[in-house]
Amino acid sequence: TAPVAVSEGTLLARRELGYLAAVYVLSTALFPSIVFRVKKAQGPVIHVWACFAGFQLFRAMAFLGKIWLPKLWQKLLKRKEKVAVE
């Protein structure tokens, strides 16, 4: 999906290669095992599509989280400091 591709490109531009590699390895290790479980259980095709959706959701959360969570965390900490000072 577009948000996944854009966030992946952002991480590449930032040279977050170790993080990207970890996400790739983890998702590549998990995805086939889950799909094979669906196959073994003779699940319907909709379950395979759900696996693909989950795969993309995992990647989106991992990539967007890496980009935005540090900034959000800093804003939260600054708010807490302002409240503590007042």
Side-chain angles (χ1 to χ4, degrees):
T1 61
V4 174
V6 170
S7 58
E8 187 174 17
T10 301
L11 291 171
L12 280 169
R14 287 183 176 181
R15 298 262 190 228
E16 298 275 357
L17 304 178
Y19 183 80
L20 284 168
V23 172
Y24 293 154
V25 167
L26 185 61
S27 61
T28 301
L30 290 176
F31 182 70
S33 64
I34 294 169
V35 173
F36 282 131
R37 283 186 180 181
V38 171
K39 179 183 175 186
K40 187 177 179 181
Q42 296 179 347
V45 174
I46 191 74
H47 289 174
V48 175
W49 285 111
C51 290
F52 277 109
F55 172 75
Q56 285 293 9
L57 182 62
F58 168 77
R59 288 170 36 104
M61 289 182 351
F63 295 156
L64 291 170
K66 179 68 172 175
I67 293 169
W68 293 106
L69 279 180
K71 292 177 184 178
L72 292 173
W73 191 249
Q74 287 177 353
K75 284 185 179 183
L76 284 172
L77 290 177
K78 285 181 183 177
R79 281 186 185 174
K80 285 183 179 181
E81 289 174 3
K82 285 182 181 180
V83 171
V85 171
E86 294 173 357

